[in-house]
Amino acid sequence: MEAVETIHEPLALTAILIAALPFGAFILLMFFSKTIGKKLSGSISTLFTFIAACLSLYIVVQAFTTEPNIQTVVQWFEIKGTPYNIRLFIDQTTALMLFTVCFVSTLVQLFSQEYMKEDEAYSKYFAYLSLFTFSMLGIILTSNLLIIYVFWELVGLSSYLLIGFWHHKKSAQRASKKAFLLNRIGDAGFLCGLLSLFLLFSTSDLQLIAQNFQAGNISAEHSTILFIAGFGIFCGAVGKSAQLPLSSWLPDAMEGPTPVSALIHAATMVAAGVYMLFRTSFLFTPEVNLIIAFTGVITAFAAAFAALTQTDIKKVLAFSTISQLGYMVSAIGVGATESAMFHLFTHAFFKAGLFLAAGAVIHALHHAAHESHQHFDAQDINLMGGLYKKLPFTTITFTLCGFALAGIPLFSGFLSKDAILAGMLHFSLHEQNSLLMIIPLLGFLTAVITSFYTGRQLIKVFGGKNGWKGSAEVWNHIHENTIKIKLPLAMLAGMSLFLIFSLNPFNAESSWLMHILGATPTEGEGHLLIVVISALLSLSGVGVAWLVYQKESISISKLVSTENIFYKLSYNFWYLDRVFDPGLKNILIKTSTTLAKFDKKWLDKTIDNFAIGQVVIAHVIAWVDRIMVDGLIKTLVWFTGKAGNFSRKIQGGKVQSYISAALVTTLLIALFFIFKF
Amino acid sequence: MFSPVVFLAVSLILFSCGVTVVLIKKNAIIILIGIELMLNAANLNLVGFNQLYPTSQHGQVFTLFVIVVAAAEAAVALAIILKVYQFYQTAQPDDIHELGDK
């Protein structure tokens, strides 16, 4: 392979190196883990990713100062003289994505060194993590949809491996299979979209597609194919980013180790879907955009509603991820793509921080349970409370990240969520369609719910009127984690503050990130209102949570019992799983049973009868063969044998028979002469 | 003097007996006797036909010659039979069938 066209070669090579480093770590740990040893393997993988993170930081700096677009085109193969090229493309957004993925992955691996310390398959775990990082970097770096699809599937594979990492647990097996299968459904759509794009533009290079598209080479009659393409790519994103109706794998994916959840939810897997939508957003027709916007906002609301009643510390976070992803997807649909990416970045840091903090809590409780020889569910928030006394550091980091999630002013989440809400409102006001007001309304509603359940979780885990609800013995054994866990938490919590992203804590448009992402300033009149509304909403959500769970001045159990239909809907995530099992499952089974019956009755019968006919004919032919052909030969043989036996007897060694023969012959000759003459 | 017809008749009977003995008998010595019988039948023929030419003595002489040769032949044949007996422990030609199939 040789480079066809390169802009700024050293940087392009650096970018390839960034992707190659985690892959190298994967190869090393997968095939040479015995020689490397358990202790070193985690450090190697972390170091490799750390180097990649440093390199990507260098690329970010370069992209912002000198080279806003780095690319290299490499010819892969040639069909009938038409070259098939792979393009490596880095602009400022890509560079930031690169850095985010590498940075979060490094922190997660550092965290995992402590968290997974006692696991038997320690080095395999790090190998999978490296593969995961590598696949994600591949999606980010390449600009060829086919190659992206390959990496897209690799992300699916590595998530399958990591979710099912504790494969001795039956539930982990099920969860990994579920994640894989639901993703396949979306990926089928992605493949359709990819192929339709290839049909339209006869290339799968996103850069070229964008050029062609903007040149207006697409006539109106192609709008159906364009719709299919956009919808197909959206389907892929629905699978990867866990939007409705394919979201139920994400809560189940909590069966994997907690750092893996952090990686999946923050930077790698679910971000891939949104990133993909961002890169292809120019293709979407208005109808596709509408579908995207509605799917996203409905997902955001549904998942936030489900998060209200969860009792598993990780499940609350899982549903919040689905909800936040819904925001991002919806933002893409309403045309606020840069806000979506902004939220993707801020969300990556605070969600990774939340998951790692949750992991820290689980880890600490596990240790305590282990040391006090007691068994209890270390993830049930109903059993926790008052942990701020024992885990002050974790509490602070969790709170900081949690406030970012809740969208409290002065935190990063506020800026990005505010930008998305503004985008939604702008879209629906612009379209002059009152039905579209549903989008921003659901968005605001979700914002309240989000801050409420974040507050609920914070108080239930760390605060609470009654404090710790478990046994005192466990309580005495809880102590703060080591530096390897604290360091990632501190960094991620730091990244959740507004200062990192914008000097003005109340206006996302002053953020440097939004300028890079290409946001055009919206008209300012309504914006202050949105800022005020969303700040009030998020604060009131947390405030109500404080009243309900900390002060307990409102008794929630009286208002909503566990038997309540809304409670059940929320706890079971709208019974979405029932759609698949037994709903879809039964339909599938019934269809296939019917098809099987048809197969047996008609297709098999025909083939069977044909076979029987064949056998009968074969028997007849065999009979003819045996009797006629073989008979003829056998008769010949018999005759020859008899003749041979007869002639043999004449010279059978009996002297007297020779003599008699000679005598008879002589007599015959004599008679012949006598009567002839 | 007998007429040649009588000679021929006796010779015919004698020859027939010889052939019969040769064809029927199992023992080699008896077969040899049969052969002698046939030889003597031929001798009789020679003598008988000689009667038709009283001036010629050829037949008589030839007969004597044949008798001598027959004696030699009998000696050789007996010797062979003895050797065969020694080798095969039998004097019956039917039992000696090494070259034939069993």
Side-chain angles (χ1 to χ4, degrees), chain A residues 193-206:
Chain A
L194 197 157
L195 293 176
S196 344
L197 278 181
F198 199 83
L199 191 71
L200 270 184
F201 299 95
S202 44
T203 174
S204 53
D205 191 325
L206 266 178

Side-chain angles (χ1 to χ4, degrees), chain B residues 11-64:
Chain B
S11 165
L12 181 67
I13 293 165
L14 207 54
F15 190 82
S16 301
C17 289
V19 167
T20 313
V21 165
V22 164
L23 290 183
I24 286 173
K25 284 301 176 184
K26 296 279 180 198
N27 200 304
I29 295 172
I30 309 291
I31 291 170
L32 195 61
I33 291 168
I35 291 170
E36 290 301 323
L37 281 178
M38 288 195 291
L39 274 173
N40 288 320
N43 284 348
L44 266 179
N45 255 14
L46 290 172
V47 173
F49 280 111
N50 203 26
Q51 298 287 317
L52 297 176
Y53 311 97
T55 52
S56 169
Q57 296 298 316
H58 286 126
Q60 313 276 355
V61 175
F62 197 57
T63 303
L64 277 174

Side-chain angles (χ1 to χ4, degrees), chain A residues 648 654-656 659-660 663, chain B residues 19 22-23 25 31 94 101:
Chain A
R648 198 181 54 175
K654 303 266 191 220
V655 183
Q656 282 155 329
I659 295 169
S660 55
L663 199 69
Chain B
V19 167
V22 164
L23 290 183
K25 284 301 176 184
I31 291 170
D94 280 358
D101 59 355

